[in-house]
Amino acid sequence: RYCGVTLSGLTVKPSPEWLQNRLKAIGLTPKNNIVDVTNYILHDLGQPLHAFDASKINGKIIVKTAVAGTKFTTLDDVERTLNGSEIMIKDGNDNPMCIAGVFGGAASGVSAGTSTIFLESAYFNPVAVRKGAKFHALNTDASFRFERGVDPKITKIALTKAIEMLQEIAGGKLKGEILEFYPEKIEDHYVVFRYSKLDQILGATIHREKVKEILKNLEIEVLNQIPDGLELSIPAYRAD
């Protein structure tokens, strides 16, 4: 699932003290108001975001796998050779701008002179992100979450909250609507849950109504009661 939006009229500057203090409290170093908002949303909702300098994007955004052997310089100014398995964010001229879910590119990052950004919020395939992160030895806050499976239902919610924050502390104005590409909905998991198996694993018996209460508190829906168990719908974000 891929969502994005363009915000113009931004002023890159230090974040308000309250936001800096929130980030410092969890061991992060504030950078600027744009980056700080993306980090705040990441740690608040568990949804990684990425901001591109819109002036450095040619034409459009393309999400596709890399071409093996392509050279790509990441935000840490290290030139890396792509192996062809990475999901890449590219522009209309097929220029790579970001290893999706892992690390941004040096050429398209937000700088002090940035006034318009394209803000991305997405759900990427966890296996693909993990392979890319491991191959390049890039263990980032974003890859940590994408590898484990973020909640595909909050992709747009997180982006909307980031827009509101950027409008408040950076003077950003929406340029058009939120764009979304979601060709195949990520469904919740269907599981048959057996009481006998539960008793065997626990070595004890929990009252069946208590079992249902625990499942409900975990946002796991009971679809149907069957002999010796339940049919359950487990939220997609519970990847384990």
Side-chain angles (χ1 to χ4, degrees), residues 58 74 103 217:
N58 291 303
T74 43
F103 213 26
N217 290 339

Side-chain angles (χ1 to χ4, degrees), residues 16-43:
E17 190 174 350
W18 71 265
L19 179 51
Q20 292 194 40
N21 288 339
R22 289 284 181 91
L23 296 176
K24 288 175 184 175
I26 57 170
L28 297 182
T29 302
K31 306 288 187 188
N32 59 56
N33 50 356
I34 311 298
V35 174
D36 290 352
V37 165
T38 62
N39 279 330
Y40 181 87
I41 297 295
L42 168 70
H43 291 278

